[in-house]
Each structure stands twice: as C-alpha cells, then as structure tokens.
C-alpha cells in the first residue's frame, strides 16, 4: 500500500513538471589571492597573507525559475559566501549570508522577498563603481559604507522601461512596538542612452536602538563608454547617527571597525570617486580607480569624537583571462588618511597592499 502511494506521488510530480518548465542552476566563484600589506596591526607591522580575491568574494549559490505561463515566472536564489583560503563561511552561523529570496518576474518587472542586496549596491556594483565594489577592505570601504551592501527581511522591486531602470526596497526592522526602528528604505533610478549612463539613489537605515538615529546616503553617478574604454565618476553624501559608518570605512583590524561609532552623534561624509576600465586585448583588461572622502565628526565608541578628517585610496588592477571562466590578476592599492580619519587605518596613516590571485567562475 505504501509503495503504491509513493508511485502515485511520483507520477503526480512528473505530470506537474511537464506542465510547468523549471530550471535550477548551481553557480559560484572561487577567488583566492596572495597579498602583502605594509601595515596590518596596531604596531604598523607588515603582513603576508592568503585571502579571498581582490574583486570577488568566493561564493556558491542556487538559482531557479519556473514558467507559470503568460510571461510570469517564479524565481528564487540562495547564495552562500565562504572564505576560499580556509573553507569557512564568510558569515559564521548564517548559511545563505549573501542572498536568500523568492519572488515573481514578468512584464511588470521583478518583485522579491528575503535577504537581498540593496538597490544602491546593485546600482554601484553593476553599473557605476569602477571596481564593481572591490572585495578588500582597502578598496571597498567607500561604496560598501555608502550602500551597506545587503539587508534581511527585504521587499524589493526592480523594473526596466526602455532606457530607464528603477529599483526600490523596504526592509522590515521587525522590532515589536515600532515599525520604524531597524527598518531600511532605498530607491534608485538609472537612465542609459547610447554610451552615456547616469543615475543615483537614496537609502535610509534606521537604528534598531533609537528611531531618531538614521544612516542616510545620497548618490549621483555617471559612466561613458568609448571604444574599448569606459569612464566612471560619482558622489556620495552620507549622514550617519547610528554609528555604522566607521565599521565599513575602517579596515578589519582597526579600532573603528571593531567598536563602531557613537550612536546619536551625526557623522557626515562627502565622498567622490573616479575610475576607468580598458579592454587592452581580448584577454587583458586594466582598471584604475580613485576614492576621496572628507569626513566630519569621526567617532570611535571607546574613544569619543575625534573630529574631522580626510582619506583617499588609489587602486590599480590588471586581469588576464586564461579562458572565459578563469582569470589571473595583479593589483595594488594605496590608502592615505589625515587627522581623525587615521583611526580608520591600521597602525599607520598610510597602508599599501599588493596582491596576485586567480579566479574561477562556474
């Protein structure tokens, strides 16, 4: 009797599968580099490490679609981030730390629910940041700190209408007694005409502790393609009273990154970036980028308000494609900070990084 029931279930699943076409893909990136840092602790000592890649974090994911008919499709994505140098998860205790969502897509656009990238991060990583929001702390601090990368409990819509693209999201704070605390709202617009593309976005994240403490970002960006080259440029304004910004702007071992800022004290950043990519040959690609930030009210939780400061980073990357899926690369980055912004670097007021690596996409 049990065997007969299982056969009926199997026949039913096969029948429903024939009616609705389903596609599931396993994908990922393994990116590992050998890296030298001129200062990597409070004493300013050098370090030589094997770590994740310069541009891509290693990941493995599952994504799929089901054709529901009439142009409507169900979609899902589950994406895990891991450290290729150790095999450990990039966010211990969270299996699908990068993305975990389900949704629908059709002529109206796409709507998804779950843990996702913020629309502002999508805008920068896919279109306007010359390094596609680099992976090392020393080259990702500005775009990561401005976009906050991703959030949980998110409702997100994305649509394209001719040359105009729009994204909007709301992440629930899930704090009992307050709809506002811990929530996040974001929106972006992009318009592309020929080789020129320009866009911008707005994002506000409310502290889960106090609904009057907010982290707000405004962005304007543009890119222009000509021949084998592409130019990028943009501006961020960040006003943060949640104490979040130092955790992104400070590299991993710094006091600022470990302790964060002081909630209730509004930090202000005016940040600019420029960059270019050049496809020198079908195999060789070159990237150069520069980031500059002027900050006010740089705070460290264990120290207090350090005042104002400035910081810049210069980054160069050369990549060589061994195949469509495998690349080797070399990169160099230089960070220099002044006044209060020195708290965001490790050991010294300047840090140089040099790395070589290999990336495989599957």
């Amino acid at each position: 009797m049990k065997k007969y029931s299982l056969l009926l279930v199997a026949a039913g699943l096969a029948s429903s599968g024939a009616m609705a076409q389903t596609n599931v893909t396993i994908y990922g990136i393994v990116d590992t580099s050998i890296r030298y840092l001129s200062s990597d602790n409070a004493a300013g000592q050098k370090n030589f490490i094997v770590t994740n890649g310069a541009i891509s974090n290693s990941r493995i994911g599952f994504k799929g679609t089901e054709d529901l008919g009439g142009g409507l499709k169900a979609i899902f994505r589950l994406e895990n981030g891991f450290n290729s140098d150790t095999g450990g998860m990039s966010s211990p205790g969270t299996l699908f730390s990068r993305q975990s969502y389900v949704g629908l897509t059709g002529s109206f656009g796409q709507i998804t629910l779950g843990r996702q990238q913020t629309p502002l991060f999508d805008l920068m990583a896919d279109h306007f940041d010359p390094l596609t929001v680099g992976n090392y702390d020393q080259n990702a601090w500005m775009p990561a700190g401005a976009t906050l990368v991703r959030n949980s409990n998110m409702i997100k819509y994305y649509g394209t209408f001719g040359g105009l693209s729009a994204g909007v999201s709301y992440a629930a704070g899930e704090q009992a007694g307050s709809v506002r605390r811990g929530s996040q709202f974001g929106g972006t617009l992009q318009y592309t005409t020929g080789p020129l593309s320009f866009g911008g976005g707005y994002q506000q994240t409310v502290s889960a502790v106090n609904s009057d403490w907010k982290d707000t970002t405004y962005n304007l960006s543009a890119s222009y393609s000509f021949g084998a080259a592409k130019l990028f440029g943009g501006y961020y304004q960040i006003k943060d009273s949640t104490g979040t910004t130092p955790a992104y702007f400070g590299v991993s071992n710094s006091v600022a990154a470990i302790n964060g800022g002081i909630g209730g004290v509004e930090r202000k950043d005016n940040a600019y970036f420029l960059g270019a990519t050049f496809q020198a040959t079908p195999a060789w690609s070159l990237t150069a980028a520069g980031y500059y930030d002027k900050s006010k009210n740089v705070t460290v939780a264990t120290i207090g308000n350090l005042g104002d400061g400035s910081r810049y980073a210069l980054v160069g990357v050369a990549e060589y494609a061994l195949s469509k899926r495998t690349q080797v690369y070399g990169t160099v980055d230089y960070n220099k900070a002044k006044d209060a912004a020195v708290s965001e670097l490790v050991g010294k007021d300047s840090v140089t990084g040099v790395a070589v690596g290999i990336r495989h996409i599957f």
Side-chain angles (χ1 to χ4, degrees):
M1 185 66 179
K2 290 182 179 180
K3 182 178 180 180
Y4 178 68
S5 298
L6 289 173
L7 288 173
L8 286 177
V9 171
L13 290 173
S15 176
S16 62
M19 294 174 63
Q21 294 183 353
T22 301
N23 175 43
V24 177
T25 302
I26 300 174
Y27 67 93
I29 299 174
V30 184
D31 190 352
T32 310
S33 62
I34 303 169
R35 182 158 168 81
Y36 161 84
L37 285 166
S38 64
S39 178
D40 198 33
N41 62 13
Q45 294 177 315
K46 303 176 178 65
N47 205 356
F48 181 77
I49 59 177
V50 178
T51 186
N52 250 315
I55 305 299
S56 307
N57 267 312
S58 297
R59 69 202 67 174
I60 184 168
F62 309 85
K63 61 181 179 180
T65 64
E66 181 187 15
D67 191 343
L68 302 175
L72 184 66
K73 293 182 180 180
I75 58 173
F76 81 91
R77 185 185 293 261
L78 300 171
E79 189 172 283
N80 166 265
F82 65 92
N83 299 318
S84 56
D85 54 320
T86 65
M89 291 193 292
S90 58
S91 297
T94 305
L95 180 58
F96 298 112
S97 59
R98 292 182 61 86
Q99 298 192 80
S100 173
Y101 65 76
V102 65
L104 296 171
T105 183
S107 59
F108 60 88
Q110 177 177 295
I111 185 166
T112 46
L113 309 173
R115 179 167 177 80
Q116 302 173 71
Q117 296 171 170
T118 66
L120 191 53
F121 176 83
D122 285 337
L123 186 72
M124 302 314 298
D126 294 341
H127 302 286
F128 293 122
D129 187 83
L131 294 173
T132 63
V133 185
N135 178 45
Y136 296 144
D137 295 322
Q138 291 79 12
N139 61 33
W141 53 277
M142 182 188 291
T147 66
L148 302 185
V149 185
R150 55 184 65 89
N151 209 339
S152 300
N153 313 313
M154 183 183 289
I155 306 164
K156 181 177 174 183
Y157 169 80
Y158 187 81
T160 301
F161 313 94
L164 181 67
S165 298
V168 64
S169 69
Y170 172 76
E174 299 191 347
Q175 301 291 315
S178 174
V179 175
R180 192 165 161 72
R181 278 191 295 116
S183 66
Q184 182 187 80
F185 171 79
T188 59
L189 286 173
Q190 180 190 4
Y191 184 72
T192 302
T193 175
L196 175 65
S197 184
F198 55 91
Y202 167 86
Q203 181 173 288
Q204 184 173 93
T205 307
V206 182
S207 168
V209 177
N210 188 322
S211 60
D212 292 328
W213 300 351
K214 299 176 290 262
D215 184 347
T216 305
T217 299
Y218 303 87
N219 167 259
L220 290 173
S221 297
S223 67
Y224 186 80
S225 300
F226 56 98
K230 190 171 185 178
L231 301 178
F232 305 85
Y235 165 75
Y236 300 104
Q237 183 185 78
I238 306 170
K239 297 181 179 180
D240 177 26
S241 57
T242 68
T244 303
T245 300
Y248 287 88
F249 276 41
V251 294
S252 59
N253 292 326
S254 71
V255 173
I258 294 169
N259 296 288
I262 299 173
V265 177
E266 186 177 72
R267 169 174 170 151
K268 297 180 181 179
D269 290 88
N270 286 291
Y272 307 83
F273 67 90
L274 289 171
T277 59
F278 179 62
Q279 194 68 44
T281 71
W284 279 104
S285 62
L286 306 173
T287 302
Y291 302 88
Y292 174 79
D293 177 60
K294 183 70 175 177
S295 49
K296 294 184 178 181
N297 295 329
V298 178
T299 61
V300 177
T302 55
I303 299 175
N305 190 338
L306 302 179
D308 304 341
S310 61
R311 175 179 171 187
Y312 67 87
L314 301 174
V315 187
V317 182
E319 299 176 78
Y320 182 79
L322 299 172
S323 70
K324 290 183 178 180
R325 295 181 176 271
T326 303
Q327 303 88 37
V328 291
Y329 57 83
T331 180
V332 60
D333 50 81
Y334 175 77
N335 274 251
K336 175 72 174 179
K338 184 179 178 181
D339 300 325
V342 174
S343 66
E344 297 170 357
L345 299 185
V346 176
K348 298 179 179 180
D349 63 0
S350 65
V351 177
T352 300
V354 180
V356 293
I358 181 170
R359 175 172 58 249
H360 179 75
I361 303 168
F362 63 90

